[in-house]
Amino acid sequence: MQRRGLYAIVDPAACGACGPLVVAEAILAGGCAILQLRWKDASDRDQLALARALQRLCARSGTPFVVNDRPDLARLARADGLHLGQDDLTIEDARAIVGSMPIGRSCHSLAELARARAEGADLLALGPIFATASKERPDPTVGLETLRLAARSTDRPLVAIGGIDATRAPLVAEAGAVLGAVIGALCRADDPQAAARALHAALGGAVAPDAAESRVPT
């Protein structure tokens, strides 16, 4: 998953009336490097059903699909990757379930980044870079300077997370992030396809020339 640009996160709680599948299809049409499912408050069966549906959409578009937090569901859904938080399983324990599947880890400081790298994480996410409304109890913001330091000190793909929108996306790309993770500016957008296209381009991703017309009614 050595890609650059938009790391799109689909959270059904943020998708509104359109629903996560419609929003995901629009994001994929607009363009993204990776698409992740994040669904904190749902039954295992509902999460797995949605994960499998999103995996099929991503497979058709050639976009890597990642499941958040749950290695068991990632394996069952045949995801391309797993992403873990600080309170989730260790990389070693997760690998016992998902095998060689790429694993990312969310970090909130340079020290946590170093630990995740030593633990064997394939992808490192740092944030929140800016204030975010996507978490009930967000960690303190780390800012662009810490992101710059992280980019200079790691050889793993670095993802900026937290509060990224079209205005801030170029800032995190300039600071050295390979990917920018976005929830609210996509899932709550009036036109998720146009939002994805703009964000992917601003983050350095290659946007397909035919991804111009919106597929989501406003």
Side-chain angles (χ1 to χ4, degrees):
M1 292 190 295
Q2 299 294 326
R3 297 184 169 212
R4 177 176 293 276
L6 174 62
Y7 189 122
I9 301 178
V10 173
D11 186 341
C15 286
C18 286
L21 286 177
V22 173
V23 170
E25 189 171 12
I27 291 169
L28 292 169
C32 64
I34 295 171
L35 188 139
Q36 181 194 120
L37 171 62
R38 176 185 185 270
W39 200 2
K40 295 290 187 179
D41 300 315
S43 70
D44 288 359
R45 289 185 180 183
D46 287 346
Q47 288 187 66
L48 180 57
L50 180 55
R52 283 173 167 162
L54 290 174
Q55 188 276 334
R56 290 191 291 270
L57 284 178
C58 288
R60 286 201 292 268
S61 72
T63 304
F65 172 62
V66 175
V67 170
N68 190 57
D69 292 347
R70 296 289 301 272
D72 54 342
L73 299 185
R75 180 171 179 180
L76 288 169
R78 298 184 179 179
D80 300 295
L82 169 70
H83 192 79
L84 300 172
Q86 285 294 309
D87 296 328
D88 294 327
L89 291 178
T90 65
I91 302 293
E92 181 181 5
D93 287 337
R95 288 221 182 278
I97 300 171
V98 301
S100 61
M101 179 184 294
I103 300 176
R105 173 79 81 186
S106 288
C107 304
H108 312 296
S109 68
L110 296 178
E112 288 182 357
L113 278 177
R115 284 197 297 272
R117 183 184 180 282
E119 196 180 8
D122 300 289
L123 179 147
L124 303 172
L126 177 66
I129 307 301
F130 308 103
T132 176
S134 296
K135 289 190 175 183
E136 293 182 4
R137 294 180 296 276
D139 292 275
T141 58
V142 300
L144 289 168
E145 185 54 38
T146 301
L147 181 62
R148 291 188 188 95
L149 292 172
R152 291 197 294 265
S153 64
T154 183
D155 58 353
R156 308 293 164 85
L158 183 64
V159 186
I161 58 176
I164 298 170
D165 56 21
T167 301
R168 292 166 168 171
L171 301 178
V172 300
E174 290 166 6
V178 175
L179 297 156
V182 180
I183 300 176
L186 286 172
C187 294
R188 296 187 180 93
D190 292 334
D191 188 340
Q193 180 172 331
R197 184 177 175 83
L199 283 160
H200 192 42
L203 289 161
V207 179
D210 60 348
E213 295 183 5
S214 173
R215 298 183 185 180
V216 177
T218 57

